């Protein structure tokens, strides 16, 4: 009779994993892989790693991300719901197209909503909200050159998004802020084109600093109508820049 090469250490009943715990653990692993696949794919689509209209081939995605079919399918289904990916009947998936019509529609909707939310924030915001607005504005203004252009883009974008979120957070409406987050997701691909044209230009950055400073001034002065009009105009300024970038890249 052959001898055993390996004999695991016996475990007591209290130490042995129950079938229930094992099942829960596996579900957690699957969920984490699905989230990872979603985050990686979404980031690459937003940043142009996959071109609008490009077919997303499963075998290529598996090799690129080192992930299985199940988490990738979960991610693709979620991105279809977010209109970043299009499902093709019996033929897989493609990156959703981009268009000038969609650009104008999304930016107009976002500017209208953001202006309304700022108006509500001015009506409802307290002293703590004002202090937070000032702090986040300062944090954005002191962004300095990083080691690489990509690091500068990432840091400025994160602080810029935080500043704008803080401005409207005084509205104290979780439902309206959820709608805002959904619009922000939809605008991301277009917005990334604008970021690359803005963050690497000192002149463009200085213009943004002045616009943000003016926004903070009218907001803290509680000049509601002026602040709403200024916010709307501020959020629409990227549209001509994005339009030109799309035309240069053959996306329009």
């Amino acid at each position: 009779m052959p001898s055993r090469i390996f004999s695991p250490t016996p475990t007591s009943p209290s130490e042995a994993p129950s079938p229930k715990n094992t099942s829960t653990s596996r579900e957690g692993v699957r969920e984490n892989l699905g989230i990872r696949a979603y985050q990686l794919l979404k980031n690459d689509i937003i940043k142009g790693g996959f071109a609008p209209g490009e077919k997303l081939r499963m075998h290529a995605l598996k090799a690129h991300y080192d992930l299985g079919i199940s988490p990738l399918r979960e991610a693709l289904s979620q991105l279809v719901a977010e209109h970043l990916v299009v499902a093709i009947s019996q033929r897989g998936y493609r990156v959703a197209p981009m268009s000038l019509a969609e650009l104008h529609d999304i930016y107009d909707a976002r500017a209208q909503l953001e202006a309304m939310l700022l108006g509500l924030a001015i009506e409802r915001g307290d002293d703590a909200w004002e202090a937070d607005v000032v702090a986040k504005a300062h944090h954005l203004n002191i962004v300095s050159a990083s080691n690489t252009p990509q690091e500068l883009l990432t840091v400025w974008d994160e602080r810029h998004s935080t500043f704008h979120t803080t401005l409207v957070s005084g509205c104290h409406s979780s439902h309206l802020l959820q709608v805002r987050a959904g619009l922000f997701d939809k605008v991301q691909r277009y917005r990334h084109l604008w970021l690359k044209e803005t963050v690497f230009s000192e002149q463009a950055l200085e213009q943004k600093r002045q616009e943000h400073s003016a926004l903070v001034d009218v907001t803290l002065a509680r000049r509601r109508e002026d602040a709403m009009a200024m916010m709307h105009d501020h959020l629409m300024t990227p549209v001509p820049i994005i339009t030109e970038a799309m035309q240069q890249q053959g996306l329009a």
Side-chain angles (χ1 to χ4, degrees):
M1 182 175 182
S3 61
R4 291 184 179 180
I5 298 174
F6 172 73
S7 178
T9 303
T11 56
S12 66
S14 61
E15 293 174 326
S18 67
K20 183 178 179 181
N21 290 339
T22 302
S23 175
T24 301
S25 175
R26 287 173 180 168
E27 288 174 6
V29 170
R30 284 198 297 268
E31 182 180 354
N32 289 337
L33 288 175
I35 292 171
R36 180 167 178 264
Y38 164 76
Q39 291 173 337
L40 291 172
L41 258 171
K42 183 175 182 178
N43 184 65
D44 284 343
I45 290 172
I46 286 171
K47 295 186 176 179
F50 297 104
E54 181 177 345
K55 188 165 185 179
L56 298 169
R57 303 180 187 279
M58 192 63 70
H59 68 277
L61 295 178
K62 284 176 60 181
H64 182 69
Y65 294 116
D66 193 23
L67 289 167
I69 290 177
S70 292
L72 285 168
R73 280 184 175 157
E74 289 175 21
L76 288 165
S77 295
Q78 190 166 348
L79 292 169
V80 168
E82 295 179 10
H83 307 291
L84 286 172
V85 169
V86 177
I88 309 166
S89 179
Q90 306 299 321
R91 291 186 295 170
Y93 300 88
R94 289 187 185 276
V95 178
M98 297 174 72
S99 70
L100 293 179
E102 183 182 56
L103 164 68
H104 286 271
D105 186 30
I106 294 176
Y107 262 87
D108 178 64
R110 183 167 172 253
Q112 299 283 357
L113 179 63
E114 196 89 350
M116 182 188 76
L117 291 178
L118 181 57
L120 291 173
I122 288 172
E123 291 177 1
R124 302 171 181 176
D126 56 14
D127 291 347
W129 166 71
E130 286 192 4
D132 202 16
V133 167
V134 172
K136 295 303 189 297
H138 175 68
H139 198 221
L140 175 59
N141 283 338
I142 61 174
V143 174
S144 58
S146 300
N147 294 331
T148 67
Q150 185 59 46
E151 287 174 359
L152 173 61
L153 186 151
T154 300
V155 171
W156 190 89
D157 186 32
E158 288 175 353
R159 296 188 186 184
H160 181 243
S161 297
T162 300
F163 166 69
H164 274 276
T165 299
T166 302
L167 271 175
V168 299
S169 66
C171 75
H172 299 303
S173 171
S174 60
H175 286 88
L176 285 173
L177 291 173
Q178 285 176 5
V179 175
R180 175 185 182 268
L183 278 174
F184 188 78
D185 273 348
K186 288 180 174 62
V187 85
Q188 282 286 62
R189 276 199 300 172
Y190 296 95
R191 188 171 170 275
H192 191 72
L193 294 175
W194 166 75
L195 274 175
K196 291 190 291 185
E197 297 291 332
T198 302
V199 176
F200 305 138
S201 164
E202 184 55 42
Q203 181 181 356
L205 272 183
E206 179 56 33
Q207 179 183 343
K208 288 297 150 191
R209 290 188 192 103
Q210 293 174 10
E211 291 176 12
H212 292 148
S213 178
L215 262 175
V216 171
D217 288 346
V218 295
T219 297
L220 297 183
R222 305 280 175 161
R223 288 161 46 194
R224 182 175 176 275
E225 297 302 321
D226 289 342
M228 290 177 65
M230 192 176 291
M231 176 61 83
H232 180 276
D233 292 346
H234 174 67
L235 287 189
M236 292 302 291
T237 54
V239 173
I241 299 171
I242 299 170
T243 299
E244 184 177 353
M246 288 178 66
Q247 290 170 340
Q248 290 176 349
Q249 296 180 29
L251 299 176

